[in-house]
Amino acid sequence: MFDVLRRFLHTRFLLTDDMADPAEIQADVEAGIAFRGTNLWVLIFAILVASVGLNVNSTAVIIGAMLISPLMGPIVGVGYGAATLTLDLIRRGLKSLLTASVLSLLVSALYFRLTPLSDAGSELLARTTPTTWDVLIALFGGAAGAVALTRRGHSNAVPGVAIATALMPPLCTAGYGLATAHWSFLFGALYLFAINCVFIALATFLVCRVLPLPSHTFVSRQRAQRVQFSIWTVALLTAAPSVYLAIGIVRDGTFTHNAQRFVDEQLNLPGTYVVTSRILPRQQALNVLLAGQRLSPAQLKKAQVQLPRYHLANAQLTVRQGLARLDSADAQALRSSLLEDVRSRQEQTLVGYETRLVQLQQVLERNNTAGGGLPTATALLREVQVEHPDVRQLGLSRLVRPAADSLPADTTVLVAVRARRPLPIAEQQRLAAWLSLRAGSRQPVRLVVETQALPAAQPARSRPARRR
């Protein structure tokens, strides 16, 4: 039983069936590492596109910049080089990544220094603080990209990984922080970018170690052991801080989630409104500004007692009541909250538009096919012209008659044709009978025939008599 299950899982999850040739994989990795010529110009244009998208708060523009960004190449090269013990790939990958990062930061800072739009939109603010999900997205996205890169035919997973891991927007956000002296934006965005790079490289390293890829060979056994020891040491030293950062991010995310639940359930009472709630996971602090009906000391003490229920026993709770206690940090938090609400509403509206568009496309498709078993107007015209070559145009529509009094609802398929000459009555009757038969007698078919209007004859111009 266990052998059957093991063989089934081995067959289903085998990664070597459609794996590309190792030489082809290495050639693709090396092509993505180099940052000169085409890759360099594409990087600069992607930086500018992403900066404009963040500047005007356009999600679609930011996605386009992530699609054309070549930043994934050096990161994948570092992970692949570590897995195959190729020091040159690791060295070139780190050098290209550093070059691309510095160039992206400078170009983005220059753009935000020159642009007249200096406000930070919701898209930009979303890249200033890493979350738990950013770590998981980078890890799983990097693994998906590594698997896709090692296949014979590259799938659409590579562009998807570029979008999901979002390497370009954090760098542009860091450029905004550098240009406007928002140092928290600068370091927060660089922190997010570093997490993405480390976990993508780590996922690539793990996937490539699983695959049967040839490792670099050395002349002496002692040198091979030293190189392997060095690479594993560097990999562990790189992964250890990232794991520590991941644990910290998970801890901060848990604290933020619990604190938000506490505010929503214990302080958002009838007649009292939460204006801002500043949650500081590192300081284990929760600072809340309330407006409306003031809470009594007994109510505040009751809320304080409930903190252990939300795993916030060591949290420091500060509750301020009245808009007179509003400070600059509250104003910034309120502005960020409003921008996030606007962004959420825009996304909901966009989803509603897309749903409505799909519905309209379905209605249009039904109208084109006209129901009743007839094909599309274009296909039906080709069939009609076989027996009636004078027909030049054909259109389909449905005439729906709703139920009224004792009359049931019914639908009639209208077929309008335009011919270059008047069709005889017998030919029209024959065409109408054929259309009814072609429709399968599911719905009545009515034929409307029009004659194509010929252009008016131009009067002949008189030619002057030639002199002899």
Side-chain angles (χ1 to χ4, degrees):
M1 179 64 182
F2 291 103
D3 290 338
V4 174
L5 180 60
R6 183 179 59 82
R7 286 196 299 269
F8 174 79
L9 294 178
H10 178 74
T11 303
R12 292 294 178 182
F13 292 94
L14 192 63
L15 285 175
T16 56
D17 282 346
D18 59 341
M19 192 182 89
D21 185 78
E24 181 183 350
I25 296 174
Q26 181 160 350
D28 290 339
V29 172
E30 292 182 351
I33 288 178
F35 264 100
R36 63 173 62 90
T38 302
N39 278 0
L40 192 62
W41 282 107
V42 170
L43 175 66
I44 294 175
F45 295 144
I47 296 165
L48 295 174
V49 171
S51 300
V52 172
L54 291 172
N55 203 189
V56 300
N57 209 45
S58 173
T59 305
V61 175
I62 297 171
I63 291 175
M66 289 187 285
L67 277 173
I68 62 178
S69 169
L71 275 175
M72 281 284 293
I75 303 173
V76 172
V78 172
Y80 180 87
T84 58
L85 304 178
T86 308
L87 295 179
D88 183 58
L89 277 180
I90 300 176
R91 191 181 304 110
R92 285 191 290 150
L94 291 175
K95 182 179 178 181
S96 296
L97 181 60
L98 180 61
T99 302
S101 302
V102 173
L103 179 63
S104 301
L105 192 62
L106 294 178
V107 173
S108 179
L110 179 62
Y111 170 82
F112 282 110
R113 188 67 178 174
L114 298 177
T115 180
L117 303 176
S118 59
D119 292 338
S122 58
E123 290 288 348
L124 193 145
L125 292 173
R127 270 82 182 186
T128 57
T129 305
T131 64
T132 309
W133 315 117
D134 294 318
V135 175
L136 298 178
I137 289 170
L139 184 62
F140 299 143
V147 172
L149 183 67
T150 56
R151 302 304 96 187
R152 292 194 189 96
H154 293 172
S155 66
N156 58 353
V158 175
V161 171
I163 296 174
T165 51
L167 292 167
M168 185 63 67
L171 276 179
C172 295
T173 302
Y176 173 85
L178 180 63
T180 59
H182 283 78
W183 307 119
S184 61
F185 288 7
L186 171 64
F187 294 112
L190 288 178
Y191 180 30
L192 174 58
F193 177 72
I195 287 175
N196 286 340
C197 292
V198 169
F199 278 91
I200 291 173
L202 179 62
T204 304
F205 170 79
L206 295 176
V207 171
C208 291
R209 289 295 297 179
V210 171
L211 296 175
L213 294 173
S215 299
H216 186 75
T217 57
F218 298 91
V219 177
S220 63
R221 182 180 179 85
Q222 291 77 12
R223 178 170 174 77
Q225 291 177 349
R226 286 199 304 270
V227 170
Q228 289 182 357
F229 177 77
S230 301
I231 290 178
W232 278 104
T233 302
V234 172
L236 290 176
L237 290 177
T238 305
S242 64
V243 172
Y244 173 76
L245 295 177
I247 294 173
I249 291 174
V250 171
R251 184 174 58 246
D252 295 347
T254 303
F255 180 88
T256 301
H257 175 73
N258 293 335
Q260 191 60 51
R261 279 186 54 225
F262 170 80
V263 172
D264 294 339
E265 297 176 5
Q266 299 298 328
L267 298 179
N268 198 9
L269 302 177
T272 304
Y273 306 97
V274 178
V275 179
T276 61
S277 56
R278 299 206 303 270
I279 301 173
L280 305 174
R282 299 296 175 86
Q283 292 80 12
Q284 294 284 298
L286 175 58
N287 196 317
V288 183
L289 176 64
L290 303 178
Q293 184 178 349
R294 297 180 65 88
L295 299 183
S296 63
Q299 289 176 310
L300 292 177
K301 185 176 180 180
K302 180 180 177 182
Q304 183 85 29
V305 172
Q306 297 297 323
L307 283 173
R309 272 187 53 205
Y310 297 88
H311 305 286
L312 301 172
N314 299 325
Q316 179 183 357
L317 175 63
T318 303
V319 178
R320 294 167 295 130
Q321 303 192 65
L323 294 178
R325 307 292 299 275
L326 184 73
D327 57 16
S328 59
D330 289 325
Q332 180 66 24
L334 183 60
R335 178 174 175 272
S336 301
S337 177
L338 291 175
L339 287 173
E340 185 62 30
D341 289 342
V342 170
R343 178 171 174 264
S344 177
R345 291 180 180 272
Q346 287 177 343
E347 290 179 351
Q348 293 176 0
T349 303
L350 182 60
V351 170
Y353 286 157
E354 291 177 349
T355 303
R356 183 58 179 161
L357 178 60
V358 171
Q359 294 174 350
L360 292 176
Q361 288 175 341
Q362 292 174 351
V363 171
L364 182 60
E365 182 66 23
R366 287 196 299 267
N367 288 338
N368 286 338
T369 57
L374 291 177
T376 61
T378 304
L380 186 61
L381 176 61
R382 289 196 296 266
E383 295 181 12
V384 169
Q385 286 178 333
V386 174
E387 295 292 336
H388 308 276
D390 290 329
V391 174
R392 287 292 176 244
Q393 291 178 317
L394 185 146
L396 294 176
S397 63
R398 293 188 301 172
L399 177 62
V400 180
R401 296 188 181 91
D405 296 333
S406 60
L407 299 176
D410 67 344
T411 302
T412 301
V413 180
L414 294 180
V415 181
V417 299
R418 177 175 292 178
R420 62 182 178 183
R421 64 174 181 81
L423 297 181
I425 300 299
E427 188 174 354
Q428 294 185 24
Q429 293 175 349
R430 190 167 64 254
L431 177 57
W434 180 84
L435 289 171
S436 298
L437 184 63
R438 182 68 174 83
S441 301
R442 299 178 186 177
Q443 293 175 350
V445 178
R446 177 175 296 181
L447 176 64
V448 178
V449 180
E450 299 178 5
T451 303
Q452 184 178 6
L454 296 177
Q458 297 292 333
R461 295 182 179 178
S462 58
R463 298 181 180 178
R466 294 182 357 184
R467 295 182 180 178
R468 295 186 178 177

